[in-house]
Amino acid sequence: EGTGYTVEKLNRGDLHDVENHRHVIALLGVTGSGKSSTANTLMSGSHKRYFDVADSLTSVTRSTCFRDYEFQGIPFRIIDTPGFGDTNRSKEDVEKEIRDFAKFAKHGVSCFFVILPKGRVTEESEKVLLRAKELFGDDFAKHAVVVFTHGLGSDTVGMRRQLLTRDILIEEINKLENRHFLRELVGQVDLRVMAIENKLEPYRRISKFQLHQAVLDVEKSNGNNRYLGIQATEEPKRSKSSCKGELLKHLNGETTITVRCKKGSEIPTLLQKIVSEVK
């Protein structure tokens, strides 16, 4: 099973940290596009849900989250981002979360999966992708794959349904107007498109294999270099007056401060000195 909190990470003391050999996958897409379902497909061949799934216009993924796991002995990390189209969150709030996801990928992103539901590419999807390009810059396209969910072909008498091939997808996309955002996007990602199925077997297992292979192929095409266009944002430094104010609240009995330290530590003495100075 995958987890965001392995024993190795607990020993390191930084639950967000990631090994430099772990392949990092970032999922992008509008709410309801199938991001979390795709994450679940990547992580397990069973129908156990590691990420909550929503089909409504309200995103279940409220903040950027990650899971670590292995596939065929290769370590991966999935970063699931908040739905851009969440009607209950401000644009600024979502964009800050997207930037904050860099702390889960300090060695870079191996591959971005841009998730789109096949046959339901809307104006909202266009706004989401344009915003993603603004956030991640031009290098984003070099590391991206456009993934269409619900990617099974139509029923054919006497034949089993198949996932739509890359050639069929490109043929359909080329029927769009030259300046259509999806046609332009597919050109920018060097025609890296694929269709997947997140529910029906055996197509789900096939999709799982093809998605992981796509990650490795994208890394190889970039000379094993990863996307490093966004650096982790730092928490704003707290001013001395702010810290002093919190200590005064504690001295007045408004708050409680709990400190755990080893026996013989100098921390209690130092705290007492600070408190006496504040008084």
Side-chain angles (χ1 to χ4, degrees):
E1 292 185 5
T3 176
Y5 305 104
T6 62
V7 172
E8 184 179 354
K9 287 183 180 57
L10 289 172
N11 289 336
R12 284 203 300 266
D14 185 353
L15 299 179
H16 301 146
D17 205 1
V18 58
E19 308 90 330
N20 58 12
H21 64 279
R22 188 175 291 275
H23 303 273
V24 177
I25 306 165
L27 305 180
L28 301 173
V30 70
T31 301
S33 62
K35 286 192 296 89
S36 295
S37 294
T38 300
N40 290 329
T41 293
L42 280 161
M43 288 195 62
S44 178
S46 70
H47 284 277
K48 180 174 180 177
R49 290 183 176 181
Y50 295 90
F51 292 85
D52 291 329
V53 178
D55 294 321
S56 66
L57 294 177
T58 302
S59 175
V60 168
T61 308
R62 297 295 300 174
S63 59
T64 302
C65 54
F66 74 92
R67 286 278 184 172
D68 291 340
Y69 67 103
E70 289 191 1
F71 177 68
Q72 296 185 340
I74 302 173
F76 290 89
R77 167 174 288 193
I78 297 174
I79 303 177
D80 192 9
T81 57
F84 274 125
D86 190 335
T87 55
N88 294 322
R89 303 188 72 185
S90 68
K91 173 184 174 181
E92 292 75 16
D93 186 22
V94 175
E95 289 180 353
K96 181 182 181 301
E97 286 285 352
I98 294 295
R99 284 194 168 89
D100 284 347
F101 99 99
K103 67 186 177 184
F104 299 148
K106 72 175 186 179
H107 301 296
V109 177
S110 305
C111 180
F112 291 91
F113 283 143
V114 180
I115 311 296
L116 295 170
K118 187 182 179 302
R120 290 196 292 124
V121 180
T122 63
E123 183 179 348
E124 182 184 21
S125 300
E126 179 177 8
K127 292 178 180 179
V128 166
L129 296 178
L130 289 174
R131 194 181 305 166
K133 287 179 65 178
E134 291 175 3
L135 281 171
F136 297 110
D138 293 335
D139 283 348
F140 154 75
K142 299 177 184 178
H143 303 267
V145 178
V146 177
V147 178
F148 292 96
T149 56
H150 311 290
L152 284 176
S154 303
D155 288 320
T156 303
V157 177
M159 295 181 63
R160 192 176 74 173
R161 299 177 72 185
Q162 299 289 339
L163 289 168
L164 294 173
T165 65
R166 173 177 174 271
D167 289 343
I168 291 176
L169 290 172
I170 292 175
E171 183 180 346
E172 291 186 10
I173 291 168
N174 284 339
K175 294 177 183 178
L176 300 171
E177 296 179 3
N178 289 335
R179 297 304 299 266
H180 192 283
F181 86 94
L182 180 56
R183 187 168 180 175
E184 290 185 342
L185 174 67
V186 169
Q188 291 164 0
V189 302
D190 199 22
L191 305 181
R192 287 189 295 270
V193 297
M194 61 187 302
I196 66 168
E197 169 57 41
N198 288 322
K199 293 182 180 179
L200 299 176
E201 298 291 3
Y203 312 106
R204 188 170 186 251
R205 289 196 299 273
I206 295 171
S207 297
K208 176 181 179 179
F209 175 83
Q210 293 179 344
L211 285 165
H212 285 102
Q213 188 59 51
V215 175
L216 302 179
D217 289 346
V218 166
E219 273 201 342
K220 184 177 180 180
S221 69
N222 285 287
N224 293 321
N225 294 317
R226 301 181 180 184
Y227 170 86
L228 291 165
I230 289 185
Q231 301 300 318
T233 55
E234 295 184 358
E235 293 292 330
K237 294 182 178 179
R238 296 163 70 183
S239 65
K240 291 182 179 179
S241 60
S242 172
C243 294
K244 182 176 180 179
E246 290 189 14
L247 277 173
L248 287 173
K249 286 183 179 180
H250 169 64
L251 293 173
N252 292 331
E254 299 176 34
T255 61
T256 301
I257 298 176
T258 302
V259 178
R260 294 184 176 89
C261 53
K262 295 181 179 179
K263 186 176 181 180
S265 171
E266 295 181 359
I267 291 179
T269 304
L270 290 173
L271 284 174
Q272 290 176 0
K273 182 178 179 182
I274 293 172
V275 169
S276 63
E277 289 178 357
V278 171
K279 285 182 176 179

